RNA sequence: GCCCAUGUGGCGGAAUUGGUAGACGCAGCAGACUCAAAAUCUGCCGUUCGCAAGGGCGUGAAGGUUCGAUUCCUUUCGUGGGCACCA
């Protein structure tokens, strides 16, 4: 009998489906385990070989936990709202709902071929009204809540209203509150709501009449069409995630994420401690509030810099500087935040003509504006200390501003020195203090003088939560005289209406603004962003069909946190912070019983695709790629090049002719004995449809089977690492499965297995393998597990072992990795039931004990020979044996060793 | 620019806490079986000097700590990812 993977895989998948073997119950006396994948966005390109990497890992882990006796929840769904579907709709006129449904069907078919153990009865789709009903409902909870600073948690806004009505607050009395108009009251409340509306800047493209994602803006112009893009203020919705900044930071200590991941989130939140301080402006009433983490450097301030968007800019600009400032503001409008931060070498700025006064010594300080100061961070104004900050230094140099040195010899005049250890000079009352001690002294003085205060600042900003788009959740909000009125929960879902046109509405509003029935009801015309639905989907899987609530409390209490969450690092900050915040909100409102969604996070690396590029010469012809002078050369993408270029990056003319390829340019062929060719440039890039470098898993599954595909993706390398896709090694994995098969079947003799008792040697192979596979699987080290399987099968083949006692345990170990072949052989061995419900074998240390060890012997740290010695030998005995050794004596040349280092069970080092 | 990750044979990668660098697999070379091919099996396979025995050099680069460094520290270069409206 041969290994006919096609037949086996089809048969097993059918059996499993018939028996509903992946169906998971919320009622079980087994301990629960929740393994979750980041659900995919179902793009039109279908699944590529990069997608399944994490899915295979989580599938292996889920099956492993099941064999270990857990009730495992391992669901899958689709993040099906988003921009690409809408873009596709604009281009082709097909409704996003149609294309999305089609794409999901493709994805599911592809996923099923790989043999994942999803319980599809729990599938969620964020674009289904039955799902986004609850996304809208949670939005209403956010809208109806505020963050209580005393209790550090969300509370119903009704509590706040009651407080205002009865006690007032520091800004107004209860009587004043009650006298406010409805609009005034709502405006005040809006400043506290966790979902709130305010004005914010967006990338506005006049020519396209729409708002663009940062992604769609390249070098200040739109990606499509290359039209100019500028900043525009528009009413937006936001989530007050900054309120949760501290809890998001603290929560990191309670979860098992990688240090790198925690670091990224901490940096994103960007908590810093410092002071806010007011500077008086010469001859004017206004003051400029700056935020600084280094109040100790106050006497080194040589100028102030305002963000160009700062509200005071137009007030303080002098007549003489007016024109220059206007020109500069015009220039800045075309620049993205990213460009403003990235291009630090290009120093730009403009003097306003105004001066501020140093609050301590009254020194006049010129006020500039510059794009390197961002309006969204701190107060949008900084005090520049050129001797201590490199950007300030470069700026001062560039514009010939005098630099005050307050750190003596620590400043060399060539570059800034951000030290905190210098002793302050030229610093008034701070003279003689070490900088890090002076910080507190300075803040105390500032507070004492009433010109500022201690301030904790966050880099994180509130999250923009509206999009001027169609394919997203509509906001359950009606506008009435500038007041946002929430819909009643009973009216949900507020369904997305059908539209004819997906183009933008008037004034950059979303497509919903084009629908008279929508605008007649004064409904909000923007929609929620992609991350809305994905911020809470892990809860819906627990209770996916509940029409009464987003997730029954019993279900969320049983499944609780996601035990392992697997996904890419590209979601490190965005999605993970948002879902952590939503979880905290639901927890605060006592709707769920935990305030961190993900107990453990595993980041899978990306499988990069291979892209190929043609080098083009001055005349516009394709030439062979040359490493030299290629930096200045021009390259054009060779679409789908990975399908035609050989392992050395060579494209043959014969291949071009055979496949009827149309090349974008004329080509100058090189010639060798095999014919005409051209060398292309290879680059590893993210796999994506737009890069034309996508490989499809279906082809691999058809050719080698799902089991081979699964094991090969794992064998490529550690799950967390990025790696280029290459099918070179897949034969090896396939050969391994065939070799395993041959332990059970022989083409001539047929069944090979027997009931004989296993030998000590065979038991040693088995138990060594159990130990290794068990710990590697537990640690997500799947690549080394695959190699351990290969070693085990090689050794059992060498031992000609066909004993059921050994083989059936190997099958259980293998079942998570290659479920189909394991199931088939399990049944062939005449075992009862499915292998999916087998019990994971334990290993017994007694089979692994060795009496002797082959010790490596080093001379001065270099390995020279090995000596076999008893495992329990002590140092004196070891030294004796080592010194008797011929090779050691040769290196000693008759001398006595200075020292002999012996590490039991490890090695011996003779130091001469 | 900032933040994070990463760099080991021709290739993917392995190496529990600092202790035999290159497991396992691919590719390659030589051989067995075969009329032949496929499949399968056996051996070799970092580099360099050497007939060999045996040695030198080797984990991006340069330093350092240590009896001993792929692993720890400092500096530096390359590559990939993220940077708030792609998801």
């Amino acid at each position: 009998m041969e290994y006919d993977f096609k037949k086996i895989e089809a048969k097993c998948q059918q059996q499993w489906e018939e028996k509903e073997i992946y169906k998971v119950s919320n009622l079980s006396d087994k301990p629960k385990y929740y393994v979750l994948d980041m659900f995919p966005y179902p793009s039109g390109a279908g699944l590529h070989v990069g997608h399944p990497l994490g899915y295979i890992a989580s599938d292996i882990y889920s099956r492993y936990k099941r064999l270990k006796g857990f009730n495992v929840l391992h669901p899958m769904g689709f993040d099906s709202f988003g921009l690409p579907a809408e873009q596709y709709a604009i281009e082709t006129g097909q409704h996003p709902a149609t294309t999305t449904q089609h794409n999901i069907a493709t994805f599911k078919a592809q996923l099923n071929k790989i043999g994942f153990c999803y319980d599809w009865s729990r599938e969620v789709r964020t674009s289904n009204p039955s799902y986004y009903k609850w996304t809208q409902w949670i939005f209403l909870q956010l809208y109806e809540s505020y963050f209580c600073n005393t209790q550090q948690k969300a509370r119903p806004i009704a509590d706040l209203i009651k407080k205002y009505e009865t006690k007032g607050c520091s800004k107004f009395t209860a009587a004043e509150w009650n006298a406010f108009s409805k609009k005034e009251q709502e405006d005040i409340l809006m400043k506290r709501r966790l979902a709130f509306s305010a004005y914010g800047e967006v990338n506005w493209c006049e020519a396209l009449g729409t708002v663009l994602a940062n992604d769609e803006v390249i070098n200040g112009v739109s990606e499509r069409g290359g039209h100019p893009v500028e900043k525009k203020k528009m009413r937006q919705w936001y989530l007050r995630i900054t309120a949760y900044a501290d809890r998001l930071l603290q929560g990191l200590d309670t979860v098992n994420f990688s240090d790198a991941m925690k670091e990224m989130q901490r940096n994103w939140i960007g908590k810093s401690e410092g002071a806010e301080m007011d500077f008086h402006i010469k001859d004017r009433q206004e003051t400029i509030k700056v935020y600084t983490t280094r109040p100790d450097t106050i006497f080194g301030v040589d100028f102030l810099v305002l963000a160009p968007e700062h509200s005071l800019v137009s007030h303080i600009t002098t007549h003489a500087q007016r024109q220059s400032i206007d020109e500069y503001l015009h220039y800045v409008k075309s620049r993205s935040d990213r460009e403003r931060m990235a291009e630090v070498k290009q120093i730009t700025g403009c003097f306003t003509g105004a001066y501020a006064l140093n609050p301590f010594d009254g020194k006049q300080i010129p006020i500039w504006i510059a794009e390197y100061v961002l309006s969204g961070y701190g107060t949008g104004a900084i005090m520049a200390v050129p001797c201590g900050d490199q950007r300030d230094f470069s700026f001062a140099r560039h514009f010939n501003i005098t630099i005050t040195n307050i750190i003596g010899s620590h400043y060399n005049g060539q570059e800034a020195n951000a030290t905190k250890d210098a002793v302050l000079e030229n610093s008034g009352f701070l003279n003689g203090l070490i900088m890090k001690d002076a910080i507190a002294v300075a803040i105390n003085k500032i507070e004492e003088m009433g010109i500022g205060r201690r301030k904790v600042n966050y880099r994180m900003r509130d999250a923009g939560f509206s999009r001027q788009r169609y394919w997203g959740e509509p906001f359950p909000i009606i506008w009435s005289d500038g007041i946002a009125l929430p819909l009643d929960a009973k009216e949900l879902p507020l369904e997305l209406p059908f539209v004819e046109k997906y183009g933008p509405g008037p004034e950059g509003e979303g497509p919903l603004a084009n629908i008279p029935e929508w605008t007649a009801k004064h409904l909000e015309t923007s929609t929620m962003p992609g991350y809305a639905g994905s911020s809470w989907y892990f809860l819906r899987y627990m209770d996916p069909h509940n029409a009464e609530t987003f997730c029954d409390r019993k279900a969320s209490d049983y499944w609780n946190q996601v035990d392992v969450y697997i996904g890419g690092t590209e979601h490190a900050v965005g999605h993970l912070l948002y879902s952590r915040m939503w979880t905290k909100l639901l927890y605060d409102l006592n709707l769920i019983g935990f305030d961190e969604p993900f107990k453990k996070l595993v980041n899978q690396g990306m499988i990069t695709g291979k892209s190929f590029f043609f080098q083009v010469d001055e005349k516009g012809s394709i030439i062979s790629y040359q490493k030299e002078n290629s930096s200045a050369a021009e390259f054009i993408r060779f679409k789908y090049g990975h399908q035609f270029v050989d392992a050395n990056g060579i494209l043959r003319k014969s291949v071009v002719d055979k496949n009827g390829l149309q090349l974008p340019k004329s080509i100058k062929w090189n010639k060798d004995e095999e014919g005409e060719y051209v060398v292309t440039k290879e680059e590893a890039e993210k796999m994506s449809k737009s890069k034309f470098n996508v490989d499809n898993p279906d082809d691999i599954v058809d050719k080698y089977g799902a089991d081979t595909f699964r094991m090969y993706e794992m064998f490529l390398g550690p799950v967390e690492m990025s790696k280029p896709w290459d099918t070179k090694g897949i034969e090896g994995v396939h050969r391994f499965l065939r070799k395993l098969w041959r332990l059970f079947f022989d083409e001539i003799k047929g069944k090979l297995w027997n009931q004989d008792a296993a030998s000590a040697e065979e038991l040693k192979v088995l138990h060594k393998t159990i130990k290794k596979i068990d710990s590697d699987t537990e640690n997500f080290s799947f690549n080394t597990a695959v190699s351990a399987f290969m070693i085990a099968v090689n050794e059992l083949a060498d031992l000609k072992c066909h004993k059921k006692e050994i083989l059936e345990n190997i099958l259980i170990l293998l079942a998570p990795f290659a479920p189909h072949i394991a199931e088939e052989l399990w049944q062939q061995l005449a075992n009862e039931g499915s292998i999916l419900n087998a019990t994971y074998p334990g290993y017994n240390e007694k089979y692994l004990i060795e009496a002797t060890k082959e010790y490596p012997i080093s001379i001065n740290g270099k390995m020279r020979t090995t000596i076999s010695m008893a495992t329990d030998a002590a140092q004196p005995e070891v030294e004796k044996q080592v010194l008797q050794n011929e090779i050691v004596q040769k290196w000693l040349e008759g001398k006595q060793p200075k020292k002999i280092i012996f590490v039991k069970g490890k090695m011996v080092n003779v130091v001469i």
Side-chain angles (χ1 to χ4, degrees):
Chain A
M1 210 168 128
E2 238 181 289
Y3 172 41
D4 185 347
F5 57 84
K6 274 200 175 150
K7 218 159 121 191
I8 294 169
E9 290 177 2
K11 184 178 112 188
C12 290
Q13 286 178 10
Q14 197 196 338
Q15 273 182 11
W16 292 329
E17 204 185 321
E18 278 165 12
K19 290 185 194 154
E20 295 191 319
I21 203 154
Y22 298 139
K23 193 137 189 168
V24 182
S25 167
N26 283 6
L27 302 166
S28 166
D29 35 9
K30 290 180 187 169
K32 71 94 194 187
Y33 207 88
Y34 188 0
V35 182
L36 182 66
D37 290 287
M38 289 185 185
F39 63 167
Y41 175 81
S43 78
L47 211 60
H48 61 65
V49 292
H51 282 112
L53 183 74
Y55 304 157
I56 295 169
S58 65
D59 195 69
I60 290 171
Y61 200 72
S62 304
R63 291 170 180 273
Y64 165 77
K65 280 288 170 187
R66 178 175 178 156
L67 292 171
K68 285 252 172 180
F70 289 88
N71 186 30
V72 180
L73 179 59
H74 183 221
M76 183 48 85
F78 298 93
D79 190 10
S80 46
F81 268 139
L83 203 50
E86 183 163 345
Q87 197 54 45
Y88 191 70
I90 293 171
E91 284 160 20
T92 66
Q94 291 190 67
H95 196 278
T98 315
T99 53
T100 299
Q101 196 151 18
H102 177 257
N103 292 348
I104 288 177
T106 311
F107 263 63
K108 269 178 98 162
Q110 288 182 297
L111 289 170
N112 283 332
K113 273 191 169 184
I114 303 169
F116 293 122
C117 62
Y118 304 129
D119 177 356
W120 281 118
S121 72
R122 291 175 182 258
E123 174 189 346
V124 302
R125 299 181 186 188
T126 56
S127 60
N128 272 4
S130 61
Y131 179 87
Y132 69 69
K133 170 181 178 177
W134 299 108
T135 308
Q136 291 171 332
W137 184 83
I138 297 173
F139 169 80
L140 289 181
Q141 307 310 304
L142 284 156
Y143 181 77
E144 300 284 14
S145 302
Y146 78 106
F147 196 81
C148 170
N149 291 316
T150 321
Q151 294 180 21
Q152 282 292 301
K153 60 178 269 199
R155 287 173 60 186
I157 197 105
D159 291 0
L160 190 65
I161 296 172
K162 201 170 285 167
K163 187 189 149 201
Y164 286 165
E165 283 170 350
T166 55
K167 293 191 215 143
C169 70
S170 61
K171 296 206 180 94
F172 46 79
T173 64
E176 281 169 332
W177 168 264
N178 293 318
F180 285 152
S181 71
K182 173 81 177 148
K183 172 89 169 81
E184 283 167 329
Q185 289 181 343
E186 282 300 327
D187 285 349
I188 290 166
L189 292 175
M190 195 60 104
K191 295 202 171 103
R192 297 301 302 274
R193 295 180 189 274
L194 285 175
F196 66 98
S197 175
Y199 281 89
E201 285 191 332
V202 293
N203 299 313
W204 168 253
C205 179
E206 184 71 44
L208 296 171
T210 186
V211 175
L212 298 175
N214 280 345
D215 228 44
E216 300 173 297
V217 183
I218 294 169
N219 298 325
V221 299
S222 65
E223 190 180 21
R224 281 176 292 136
H227 306 295
V229 174
E230 52 177 53
K231 298 282 169 51
K232 182 178 174 168
K233 282 216 165 188
M234 283 186 77
R235 183 170 271 288
Q236 302 287 335
W237 285 92
Y238 293 90
L239 296 188
R240 204 178 298 281
I241 192 169
T242 49
Y244 279 99
D246 266 320
R247 278 178 58 193
L248 288 168
L249 273 178
Q250 287 157 14
L252 287 176
D253 298 333
T254 69
V255 293
N256 183 5
F257 296 2
S258 70
D259 289 342
M261 176 63 48
K262 290 184 181 183
E263 193 60 23
M264 274 191 261
Q265 295 209 359
R266 285 196 189 104
N267 287 331
W268 181 266
I269 295 167
K271 183 175 183 171
S272 68
E273 291 174 31
E276 239 173 40
M277 190 181 347
D278 296 324
F279 281 75
H280 282 281
I281 304 168
K282 193 185 166 202
D283 305 328
R284 296 193 70 95
Q285 289 301 305
E286 299 97 333
T287 57
I288 293 174
K289 197 182 277 299
V290 303
Y291 172 75
T292 178
T293 55
R294 296 296 302 274
D296 54 311
T297 61
I298 178 68
F299 290 94
V301 177
D302 291 313
F303 54 101
L304 297 190
V305 189
L306 305 187
E309 298 84 354
H310 198 284
S311 58
L312 281 175
V313 172
S314 58
H315 292 92
I316 62 169
T317 300
T318 59
H319 185 70
Q321 290 299 107
R322 177 70 60 186
Q323 200 188 338
S324 321
I325 289 282
D326 285 347
E327 279 166 18
Y328 187 68
L329 290 176
H330 184 76
Y331 156 79
V332 169
K333 247 191 159 178
S334 70
R335 305 260 296 161
S336 70
D337 278 10
R338 180 105 41 105
E339 289 168 328
R340 285 169 60 172
M341 284 185 293
E343 293 168 20
V344 290
K345 277 177 197 145
Q346 181 191 341
I347 299 162
T348 69
C350 189
F351 181 44
T352 61
Y355 289 87
L357 302 170
N358 188 313
F360 293 105
D361 59 9
K363 191 171 114 182
Q364 288 196 19
I365 307 167
I367 303 171
W368 289 66
I369 64 172
E371 60 176 348
Y372 79 91
V373 175
L374 303 175
S375 61
Y377 182 71
T379 59
I382 62 155
M383 53 179 237
V385 183
C387 76
D389 182 284
Q390 191 55 40
R391 279 186 307 186
D392 297 347
F393 177 84
S394 307
F395 194 87
R397 267 291 172 85
H398 189 260
F399 291 108
N400 281 318
I401 300 167
T402 317
I403 296 172
T404 309
N405 179 18
I406 53 168
I407 51 175
S409 59
H410 286 85
Y411 171 66
N412 61 12
Q414 297 306 307
E415 57 183 2
N417 185 346
T419 180
K420 285 185 183 176
D421 299 320
V423 175
L424 285 160
E425 299 176 10
N426 298 325
S427 289
F429 68 96
L430 296 171
N431 272 335
L433 288 172
I434 295 174
M435 298 178 97
K436 54 185 168 207
D437 302 331
I439 294 176
V441 177
I443 295 178
N444 289 341
K445 185 84 174 180
I446 289 163
E447 289 188 327
E448 202 182 295
M449 292 167 67
I451 53 168
R453 61 199 174 95
R454 196 173 300 273
K455 169 92 192 211
V456 173
N457 200 38
Y458 299 94
R459 199 177 74 94
M460 180 167 70
R461 306 200 289 264
D462 284 326
F465 196 65
S466 47
R467 303 289 183 262
Q468 281 63 49
R469 301 287 178 180
Y470 171 69
W471 194 231
E473 300 87 348
F475 283 87
I477 291 286
I478 289 175
W479 287 97
S480 162
D481 299 324
I483 299 171
L485 300 173
L487 291 187
D488 195 277
K490 283 194 226 82
E491 295 176 71
L492 301 181
L494 172 61
E495 288 206 33
L496 195 57
F498 186 80
V499 291
E500 295 292 340
K501 270 177 56 210
Y502 310 95
E507 290 302 303
E509 282 188 77
L512 295 179
N514 291 328
I515 305 174
E517 303 88 73
W518 195 265
T519 50
K521 288 186 227 159
H522 303 289
L523 284 159
E524 168 67 51
T525 58
S526 53
T527 54
M528 297 187 202
Y531 66 80
S534 60
S535 291
W536 72 281
Y537 73 113
F538 55 93
L539 294 167
R540 190 64 179 169
Y541 285 132
M542 300 172 178
D543 192 12
H545 306 294
N546 198 324
E548 306 304 314
T549 175
F550 68 104
C551 173
D552 190 84
R553 183 65 193 260
K554 269 195 220 118
S556 63
D557 279 349
Y558 174 66
W559 290 110
N560 209 267
Q561 287 167 291
V562 173
D563 291 282
V564 183
Y565 191 33
I566 298 168
T569 34
E570 63 268 29
H571 301 284
V573 281
H575 161 64
L576 282 168
L577 281 175
Y578 301 133
S579 42
R580 291 182 59 216
M581 176 201 169
W582 285 44
T583 303
K584 289 180 190 303
L585 169 91
L586 296 171
Y587 173 78
D588 288 350
L589 299 180
N590 203 21
L591 296 165
I592 54 174
F594 46 93
D595 86 330
E596 280 291 341
F598 314 118
K599 221 185 217 172
K600 178 186 166 92
L601 178 70
V602 174
N603 288 115
Q604 101 246 16
M606 205 178 332
I607 292 195
T608 51
K610 278 188 187 169
S611 298
F612 293 87
F613 295 85
F614 291 123
Q615 186 166 350
V616 178
D617 68 7
E618 322 71 63
K619 292 186 195 124
S621 304
I622 292 169
I623 53 166
S624 263
Y625 167 56
Q626 291 155 334
K627 272 211 176 97
E628 310 80 54
N629 70 49
S630 65
S631 52
E634 232 195 285
F635 290 96
I636 52 170
R637 182 177 294 277
F638 177 19
K639 294 178 180 177
Y640 308 109
H642 62 294
Q643 294 173 13
F644 305 107
V645 171
D646 76 7
N648 301 312
I650 291 170
L651 175 68
R652 296 261 159 207
K653 186 163 188 291
S654 55
V655 175
V656 172
D657 293 342
K658 195 176 142 202
N659 293 284
L661 297 183
Q662 301 284 323
L663 296 176
K665 300 255 179 185
S666 67
I667 196 161
K668 286 183 185 161
W669 296 105
N670 295 22
K671 231 181 193 163
D672 65 6
E673 56 278 9
E674 283 181 59
E676 289 160 302
Y677 71 95
V678 69
V679 183
T680 60
K681 185 185 172 193
E682 181 187 324
E683 246 172 59
E685 282 187 310
K686 200 166 173 170
M687 236 183 231
S688 102
K689 194 185 178 186
S690 63
K691 294 190 167 77
F692 304 95
N693 61 354
V694 170
D695 272 303
N696 189 313
D698 298 8
D699 303 339
I700 314 286
V701 172
D702 279 345
K703 192 163 174 200
Y704 296 100
D707 286 337
T708 300
F709 178 67
R710 291 166 62 102
M711 292 198 88
Y712 180 58
E713 285 232 346
M714 293 299 99
F715 190 54
L716 276 177
V719 187
E720 319 85 54
M721 295 294 165
S722 287
K723 53 224 150 205
W725 176 250
D726 205 321
T727 50
K728 264 195 230 156
I730 199 162
E731 289 285 350
V733 174
H734 194 60
R735 275 202 276 267
F736 153 75
L737 287 177
R738 286 211 304 262
K739 192 164 183 177
L740 170 85
W741 186 264
R742 288 200 305 274
L743 289 176
F744 294 78
F745 287 104
D746 184 292
E747 275 161 49
I748 304 143
K749 284 182 265 177
K751 295 180 181 183
L752 289 179
W753 63 90
N754 56 54
Q755 304 283 348
D756 298 352
S759 70
E761 220 172 346
E762 289 163 345
L763 284 167
K764 188 171 156 190
V765 172
L766 174 65
H767 286 263
K768 183 179 79 181
T769 305
I770 296 172
K771 185 178 179 182
K772 175 78 177 155
I773 301 294
D774 192 359
S775 73
D776 278 356
T777 310
E778 188 63 58
N779 296 319
F780 283 81
S781 180
F782 302 121
N783 56 325
T784 52
V786 175
S787 97
F789 278 123
M790 289 173 170
I791 292 168
V793 166
N794 286 344
E795 287 177 351
L796 292 176
D798 288 345
L799 291 168
K800 299 199 167 41
C801 171
H802 303 290
K803 292 166 183 164
K804 188 177 172 192
E805 179 188 351
I806 300 290
L807 295 180
E808 67 182 4
N809 281 312
I810 296 283
L811 288 180
I812 300 172
L813 297 179
L814 186 71
F817 292 79
H820 309 88
I821 191 174
E823 178 78 288
E824 172 67 18
L825 291 172
W826 177 260
Q827 289 177 14
Q828 290 285 348
L829 290 181
N831 281 299
E832 293 269 318
S834 167
I835 195 167
L836 306 187
N837 297 323
T839 303
Y840 209 79
Y843 75 92
N844 191 334
E845 200 73 52
K846 81 176 179 200
Y847 298 114
L848 306 178
I849 295 166
E850 302 266 5
T852 59
K853 150 117 192 143
E854 194 74 4
Y855 273 96
I857 312 299
S858 297
I859 314 287
N860 288 336
K862 261 199 164 320
M863 214 279 286
R864 295 299 178 184
T865 186
T866 57
I867 304 176
S868 180
M869 291 183 282
T871 321
D872 55 3
Q875 176 129 6
E877 170 62 17
V878 169
E879 284 189 16
K880 200 175 119 203
Q881 284 204 49
V882 167
L883 291 174
Q884 277 169 1
N885 182 279
E886 233 177 275
I887 294 166
V888 174
Q889 284 182 0
K890 192 191 92 184
W891 283 95
L892 276 172
E893 294 172 326
K895 286 176 268 182
Q896 274 300 307
K898 279 191 194 134
K899 208 190 316 183
I900 295 177
I901 291 158
F902 169 64
V903 182
K904 195 164 179 182
K906 290 273 186 210
M907 45 65 72
V908 180
N909 188 15
V910 182
V911 185
I912 302 175

